[in-house]
Amino acid sequence: MPSRRTVLQTGLVTFSTYLAGCASPTTDKNARTPASYDDSGTFGETPDGPKSYPDRPDSLSPETISSYVREFEYARVYNSLHESDAETVSVDCTGVYDTGTRGGHYALAACTGYANYADEVHADHGQRTAVYFVGDGLTVRIERLDSRHWNYKDVFSAEEPGENVEQPGEGSSAGYRVYNMDTKAQELSVTVDFLGGLTPAEAFSTEYTLAPTSGILQDSVTYRRGEYRITADLANGSSASTQWTVMKDEDYGRNKTSIIVDPAGELTIRKPPFDKAR
């Protein structure tokens, strides 16, 4: 089994960038009353090491939650860098409260760090944002995103090059993220309609089997700038829809639109403040 140091040197730091769209607030089409979650515990990778993980706060507030996720992320990154021959381990972290939701709260955390070892090997930990759900008796952490790629030359685009954010088949296309904060697997379908023509045109559709507490980075959705509608449906009947604006600006590759399944199995579509955690 490779050491932590080997993993760090051979691919721990990976980044996927793509054009981001701007999402307006979610509309729940069925507006049904959500069930509360009945799970408890901490779900997320917690490597062993000299740093202990913090206890979940008894009183949940923006201040206690941001401090909790920062300390949790610090322990996790420190322990991932630490080995018995480590001479220096340095970690710096940020925790940011996001918003309240059904039965809990969302927050984000990110760390940078490095370690120097006795055999003159150096390892870096790049800054990657983790999304947390913190509720009474429950913590869910998702950082790792399984990337989904489609045929880049068969992505929705305009015939006129100036109407596209990038050259089809060459540049980065617009996409979104999916976070399943539920401790149960979920079946999700997503459709993206282009609204810039006389009638809506389907630009993209797909289905996912979401593993418990997992994430997906979906790129290759569209190259064409303009207005879209994202519609997401779970097999359990929960549904959400939002307008999505695709454009190329100075915020390239950031502020990703995210489809989020909460621990009660309900959907929202929005933009977590990823930039504030970096």
Side-chain angles (χ1 to χ4, degrees):
M1 182 176 179
S3 67
R4 291 174 183 157
R5 182 190 318 168
T6 301
V7 173
L8 286 163
Q9 290 179 303
T10 58
L12 178 62
V13 183
T14 58
F15 293 91
S16 296
T17 59
Y18 54 92
L19 279 170
C22 299
S24 58
T26 299
T27 299
D28 291 321
K29 294 192 301 185
N30 49 3
R32 64 195 185 96
T33 303
S36 61
Y37 62 86
D38 55 5
D39 298 301
S40 62
T42 299
F43 297 81
E45 297 177 1
T46 52
D48 295 332
K51 299 298 183 182
S52 59
Y53 294 89
D55 294 329
R56 191 179 304 106
D58 292 329
S59 177
L60 300 180
S61 69
E63 293 75 20
T64 61
I65 291 171
S66 60
S67 177
Y68 169 65
V69 299
R70 182 180 65 252
E71 294 175 12
F72 196 103
E73 202 69 11
Y74 175 86
R76 184 189 177 283
V77 173
Y78 190 102
N79 291 343
S80 70
L81 286 165
H82 183 269
E83 289 192 15
S84 60
D85 64 340
E87 295 182 335
T88 304
V89 178
S90 178
V91 179
D92 182 57
C93 302
T94 300
V96 176
Y97 181 81
D98 180 12
T99 187
T101 186
R102 303 173 179 92
H105 305 263
Y106 286 109
L108 300 98
C111 299
T112 56
Y114 68 87
N116 295 318
Y117 304 94
D119 52 3
E120 299 185 352
V121 172
H122 175 84
D124 288 308
H125 187 286
Q127 193 176 55
R128 299 182 300 185
T129 303
V131 176
Y132 283 79
F133 175 91
V134 183
D136 292 333
L138 178 65
T139 297
V140 178
R141 175 193 180 276
I142 299 177
E143 173 198 15
R144 182 174 178 270
L145 300 176
D146 295 324
S147 185
R148 299 288 182 106
H149 296 276
W150 284 64
N151 183 345
Y152 291 109
K153 295 183 179 180
D154 191 29
V155 178
F156 187 77
S157 61
E159 294 183 3
E160 176 58 44
E163 295 181 10
N164 297 317
V165 290
E166 292 283 356
Q167 181 64 31
E170 297 180 6
S172 296
S173 56
Y176 54 81
R177 295 182 176 199
V178 180
Y179 291 94
N180 182 22
M181 312 302 289
D182 197 349
T183 59
K184 305 177 184 64
Q186 293 283 356
E187 298 293 328
L188 173 69
S189 63
V190 178
T191 300
V192 180
D193 293 311
F194 179 64
L195 305 179
L198 296 178
T199 58
E202 184 178 292
F204 175 86
S205 65
T206 191
E207 296 182 352
Y208 308 100
T209 297
L210 304 176
T213 62
S214 66
I216 289 174
L217 171 62
Q218 176 65 68
D219 58 5
S220 300
V221 173
T222 180
Y223 287 108
R224 186 169 185 172
R225 70 175 77 241
E227 299 297 321
Y228 293 81
R229 180 176 57 243
I230 300 178
T231 303
D233 296 281
L234 287 176
N236 67 10
S238 180
S239 181
S241 180
T242 190
Q243 189 165 320
W244 185 39
T245 303
V246 173
M247 58 187 175
K248 182 176 180 179
D249 57 17
E250 295 179 355
D251 217 10
Y252 182 90
R254 301 170 66 187
N255 292 336
K256 281 82 173 179
T257 295
S258 297
I259 300 170
I260 302 173
V261 185
D262 71 18
E266 296 291 326
L267 278 169
T268 56
I269 307 175
R270 59 188 187 83
K271 289 172 53 181
F274 292 104
D275 54 331
K276 293 185 179 180
R278 292 171 178 160

